[in-house]
Amino acid sequence: MIKIVAIILALLGVTFYFLKLNAPEAKEWLKENKNKYALAGNRFAGTEDAIKFVEKLYELGAVKVVISKDSIYDEKERVEKEGGPYADAIVVTLPNSESERTALFKIFKNEANSQGMEFDPSTDIRNNKVFIWWD
């Protein structure tokens, strides 16, 4: 039952996420961020590790990787304590090339599996974008 609720909440989040505009490009946002664990601290060893992950997505063919403003936690206390804002999700714009998409899908599947979820291109792609969230 908890998984169903989590999935429903995730889908609602994804829908709302894709409606937001002006999301910062992930690599630049991470490079400018002074938080040692700026993205998904439960997934990445630190901001540098997260930057390498985003760079890998671009190497595999991602057209764009952004962080939605809704996924950024930038409370004054957090920024003062941690040195910068924190985020827990990215959105990847997919390429047209099937081989590049297939390579990215492997990454997405691994990330989803690490969160106890499944990646299904038939339902997880919206407007040629994939939302990746870490709990």
Side-chain angles (χ1 to χ4, degrees):
M1 180 67 172
I2 292 175
K3 277 191 174 183
I4 293 172
V5 171
I7 291 170
I8 291 171
L9 289 174
L11 289 174
L12 288 173
V14 168
T15 301
F16 186 70
Y17 187 89
F18 285 126
L19 295 176
K20 295 300 270 181
L21 300 175
N22 300 322
E25 193 280 328
K27 188 167 68 170
E28 292 305 314
W29 185 85
L30 289 166
K31 284 183 175 182
E32 293 171 4
N33 197 322
K34 302 299 182 210
N35 187 330
K36 187 175 178 180
Y37 301 96
L39 178 63
N42 62 330
R43 162 58 176 88
F44 299 106
T47 300
E48 287 300 318
D49 190 31
I51 291 169
K52 289 177 185 174
F53 179 80
V54 172
E55 288 173 342
K56 179 70 171 178
L57 295 175
Y58 280 121
E59 287 171 19
L60 293 174
V63 174
K64 191 169 186 180
V65 183
V66 299
I67 299 175
S68 167
K69 289 185 178 187
D70 293 335
S71 295
I72 298 172
Y73 302 90
D74 59 356
E75 311 83 22
K76 180 181 176 186
E77 299 81 22
R78 177 187 301 272
V79 172
E80 287 175 0
K81 181 180 177 186
E82 298 175 9
Y86 174 81
D88 61 4
I90 60 175
V91 173
V92 180
T93 302
L94 298 172
N96 292 326
S97 162
E98 283 304 315
S99 63
E100 290 174 330
R101 290 169 78 95
T102 299
L104 288 166
F105 291 173
K106 288 179 184 176
I107 299 289
F108 302 155
K109 181 179 178 180
N110 288 338
E111 295 302 317
N113 289 343
S114 75
Q115 294 295 303
M117 302 172 76
E118 296 290 326
F119 172 71
D120 180 354
S122 68
T123 58
D124 293 338
I125 297 173
R126 308 240 175 172
N127 298 324
N128 205 39
K129 295 176 173 59
V130 174
F131 178 84
I132 303 175
W133 169 74
W134 296 273
D135 182 20

